[in-house]
């Protein structure tokens, strides 16, 4: 079996030459307690873009999230509107779209979109939800998801949604507030493309396995990679939508979906702004300090989120050739906002803040006099430089007050 896997890896390398990096196996990488340098000598945006940025991106693919297939072309994406109606006291529109994309048989995505009713195109946030679009608003016309749903969610029986789950996560998706603020919100369920459990026989992954193999190779994408891919497909659809301002599509996410938003924003520069809400380990939080959730925790509890190589850094964080500040740096020069909560030490607010500090050189290269804060700001005080940071009191979660911070940050950075 081991021989077969090595042979298939070899085949993958010759068929995808850009995968053929000559990087050492994780166990051969040297230890360094210091954070890896963001710029590594890049002295201009041109040097950053042509060399260092792409190197960091490939390092994250290789050792952390895995490599994703090429994004489907817009002409191959089919969008059907299954719901369109006026809502929110006549001030907004609610739409739901079914998105099909290659390869043939890939699981369809369902994109729920709430937007202000107006003639001019509006800026939009797109983010993944945890349990189906029907949980994001209590509306009988929204599609009741028919796929696998995590069992611990309200109104879920045997991992299937019931009518009782409609609107159960509505507090996380303040559509009316968005409409008042002049933004659209689009959301899709991450389980549409890959249900959140450790099994690679379902969702999108098997569509890309090499013939004769039914499990991921060391460098293949995990769930976060697949979820990020679905956000990028959604971005293609939103950018092409005449109601949306395609230059102002922002990607956001909470927790595991925050890790995903950062990875999607890093790979896809069509996202004009990136928001991470309490994304923690494998998201905005640095891995080296080993506070809160550690690699060994995340890789044990969620073995399907990252690629297989990432596990080789369990309890060996110092050997990582990158750290999470470089994920933020990949958003440069686009605005990126990192939000923490004091009561969410599992996501390590200090490590999330430390990432912002260490990512700043990439922004400074572009002339942004960025992120000068040396210690955590007081609660509820937004640092609104090009890298933004905010910490609020309270626990792990997301709601209207968090979105208010996102809109304030976007207002400042995306104003025309
Ligand atoms: C936790 C996990 C975190 C975070 C969170 C969530 O159990 O340890 O990394 O992703 O779940 O997504 O709510």
């Amino acid at each position: 079996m081991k021989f077969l896997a090595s042979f298939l890896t070899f085949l993958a390398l010759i068929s995808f030459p850009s995968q053929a990096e000559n990087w050492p196996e994780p166990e051969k990488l040297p230890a360094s307690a210091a954070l890896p340098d963001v710029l590594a000598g890049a002295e201009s945006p041109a040097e950053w873009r042509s060399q260092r940025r792409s190197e960091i991106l490939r390092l994250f693919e290789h050792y952390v999230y895995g490599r994703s297939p090429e994004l489907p072309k817009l002409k191959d994406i089919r969008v059907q509107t299954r719901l369109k109606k006026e809502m929110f006291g006549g001030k907004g529109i609610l739409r739901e779209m079914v998105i099909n994309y290659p390869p043939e048989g890939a699981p369809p995505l369902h994109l729920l979109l709430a937007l202000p009713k107006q003639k001019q195109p509006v800026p939009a946030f797109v983010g993944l939800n945890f349990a189906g679009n029907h949980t994001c608003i209590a509306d009988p016309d929204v599609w009741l998801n028919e796929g696998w749903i995590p069992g611990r969610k309200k109104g879920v029986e045997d991992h299937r949604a019931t009518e009782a789950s409609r609107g159960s996560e509505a507090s996380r998706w303040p559509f009316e507030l968005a409409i008042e603020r002049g933004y659209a919100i689009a959301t899709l369920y991450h389980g549409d493309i890959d249900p959140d459990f450790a099994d690679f026989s379902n969702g999108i992954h098997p569509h890309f396995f090499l013939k004769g193999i039914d499990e991921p190779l060391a460098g293949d994408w995990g769930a976060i990679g697949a979820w990020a891919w679905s956000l990028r497909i959604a971005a293609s659809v939103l950018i092409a939508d005449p109601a949306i301002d395609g230059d102002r599509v922002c990607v956001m996410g909470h927790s595991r979906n925050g890790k995903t938003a950062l990875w999607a924003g890093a790979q896809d520069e069509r996202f004009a702004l990136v928001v991470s809400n309490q994304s923690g380990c494998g998201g905005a939080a640095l891995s080296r300090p080993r506070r809160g959730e550690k690699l060994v925790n995340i890789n044990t509890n969620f073995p399907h989120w990252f690629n297989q190589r990432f596990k080789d850094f369990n309890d060996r964080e110092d050997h990582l050739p990158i750290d999470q500040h470089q994920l933020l740096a990949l958003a440069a020069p686009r605005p990126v906002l990192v939000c923490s909560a004091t009561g969410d030490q599992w996501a390590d607010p200090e490590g999330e803040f430390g990432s912002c500090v260490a990512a700043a050189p990439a922004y400074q290269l572009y002339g942004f006099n960025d992120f000068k804060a040396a210690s955590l700001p007081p609660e509820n005080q937004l640092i609104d430089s090009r890298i933004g940071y905010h910490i609020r009191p309270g626990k792990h979660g997301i709601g209207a007050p968090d979105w208010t911070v996102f809109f304030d940050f976007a207002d400042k950075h995306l104003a025309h």
Side-chain angles (χ1 to χ4, degrees):
M1 185 62 210
K2 221 173 170 151
F3 171 75
L4 179 66
S6 325
F7 178 66
L8 288 165
T9 307
F10 171 72
L11 273 188
L13 291 181
I14 48 176
S15 22
F16 301 101
S18 59
Q19 261 190 348
E21 302 293 353
N22 210 5
W23 281 322
E25 289 305 317
E27 56 276 13
K28 301 247 168 71
L29 285 161
S32 152
L35 290 179
D37 194 38
V38 172
L39 300 180
E43 284 179 358
S44 65
E47 277 177 25
W48 161 254
R49 288 198 64 78
S50 63
Q51 300 157 24
R52 184 60 174 156
R53 184 182 190 281
S54 39
E55 183 184 43
I56 294 175
L57 198 53
R58 282 179 288 127
L59 284 166
F60 273 111
E61 281 177 350
H62 191 82
Y63 291 112
V64 183
Y65 302 105
R67 191 181 151 80
S68 307
E70 217 174 287
L71 201 67
K73 301 209 171 20
L74 183 62
K75 67 171 176 48
D76 298 323
I77 298 176
R78 272 178 299 122
V79 183
Q80 271 166 280
T81 302
R82 70 163 294 282
L83 169 70
K84 182 173 182 181
K85 64 181 182 178
E86 209 170 90
M87 288 277 288
F88 315 110
K91 286 182 285 178
I93 308 278
L94 188 71
R95 274 205 249 151
E96 198 172 27
M97 292 166 273
V98 184
I99 304 171
N100 282 282
Y101 55 93
E104 189 63 39
L109 309 176
H110 301 81
L111 188 67
L112 185 68
L113 174 64
L115 72 164
K117 199 171 131 198
Q118 64 172 62
K119 288 227 165 61
Q120 306 87 338
V122 289
F125 279 83
V126 59
L128 296 167
N129 64 67
F130 284 77
N133 293 346
H134 63 278
T135 62
C136 305
I137 185 168
D139 186 291
D141 295 331
V142 171
W143 185 59
L144 190 76
N145 198 290
E146 291 167 6
W148 182 94
I149 311 280
R152 62 196 142 76
K153 298 282 177 192
K154 184 178 166 239
V156 175
E157 284 165 23
D158 278 341
H159 291 290
R160 299 289 149 192
T162 71
E163 286 292 330
S165 60
R166 286 195 183 280
S168 60
E169 309 230 320
S171 64
R172 292 182 163 193
W173 299 97
F175 295 134
E176 279 198 76
L177 173 69
I179 286 167
E180 275 160 29
R181 297 285 306 246
Y183 290 88
I185 294 184
T187 181
L188 64 160
Y189 172 44
H190 58 213
D192 275 2
I193 194 152
D194 187 32
D196 190 6
F197 60 93
D199 182 326
F200 284 92
S201 69
N202 55 21
I204 191 70
H205 294 101
H207 293 271
F208 289 96
F209 286 152
L210 291 173
K211 262 210 174 84
I213 192 154
D214 55 7
E215 58 183 301
L217 301 175
D220 282 356
W221 55 342
I224 290 178
W227 296 340
W229 209 62
S230 74
L231 281 169
R232 299 180 59 204
I233 295 173
S236 299
V237 171
L238 291 169
I239 290 168
D241 193 310
I244 303 295
D245 178 349
D247 291 331
R248 293 189 292 165
V249 172
C250 314
V251 64
M252 63 72 60
H254 168 62
S255 206
R256 67 197 69 185
N257 294 334
K259 308 178 207 297
T260 310
L262 286 171
W263 180 228
Q267 295 171 88
D268 198 327
E269 295 182 289
R270 297 174 305 163
F271 290 115
L273 181 149
V274 182
V275 176
S276 146
N277 196 65
Q278 300 153 28
S279 61
C281 181
L286 295 170
S287 302
R288 277 177 170 69
R290 295 174 51 82
R291 281 181 303 252
E293 185 171 27
K294 300 179 190 65
L295 264 50
V296 66
N297 305 122
I298 205 163
N299 281 326
T300 307
N301 296 333
F302 308 101
H304 55 297
W305 281 2
F306 301 90
N307 75 3
Q308 300 306 311
R309 288 190 187 109
F310 197 46
K311 295 186 182 60
D312 295 331
F313 296 97
N314 288 351
D315 297 321
R316 296 178 65 247
E317 285 83 352
D318 281 1
H319 294 258
L320 279 163
I322 36 78
D323 209 318
Q324 298 303 116
H325 61 302
Q326 288 161 301
L327 186 63
L328 301 187
L330 290 175
R334 294 161 296 151
V336 59
L337 172 64
V338 173
C339 295
S340 311
T342 311
D344 184 10
Q345 292 299 319
W346 189 238
D348 186 18
E350 253 185 79
E352 298 195 313
F353 174 82
S355 260
C356 298
V357 174
Y363 284 78
Q364 285 155 4
L365 205 58
Y366 283 89
F368 294 105
N369 185 21
D370 238 77
F371 218 83
K372 297 290 182 205
S375 54
L376 278 174
E379 288 172 341
N380 293 328
Q381 199 170 295
L382 173 64
I383 295 177
D384 68 354
S385 50
R386 202 77 180 167
I387 302 175
Y389 181 81
H390 185 266
I391 183 161
R392 63 151 169 79
K395 290 201 257 198
H396 189 67
I398 183 168
D402 302 296
W403 280 93
T404 299
V405 176
F406 308 164
F407 296 140
D408 290 348
F409 185 74
D411 280 355
K412 166 158 182 192
H413 291 285
L414 297 184
H416 275 321

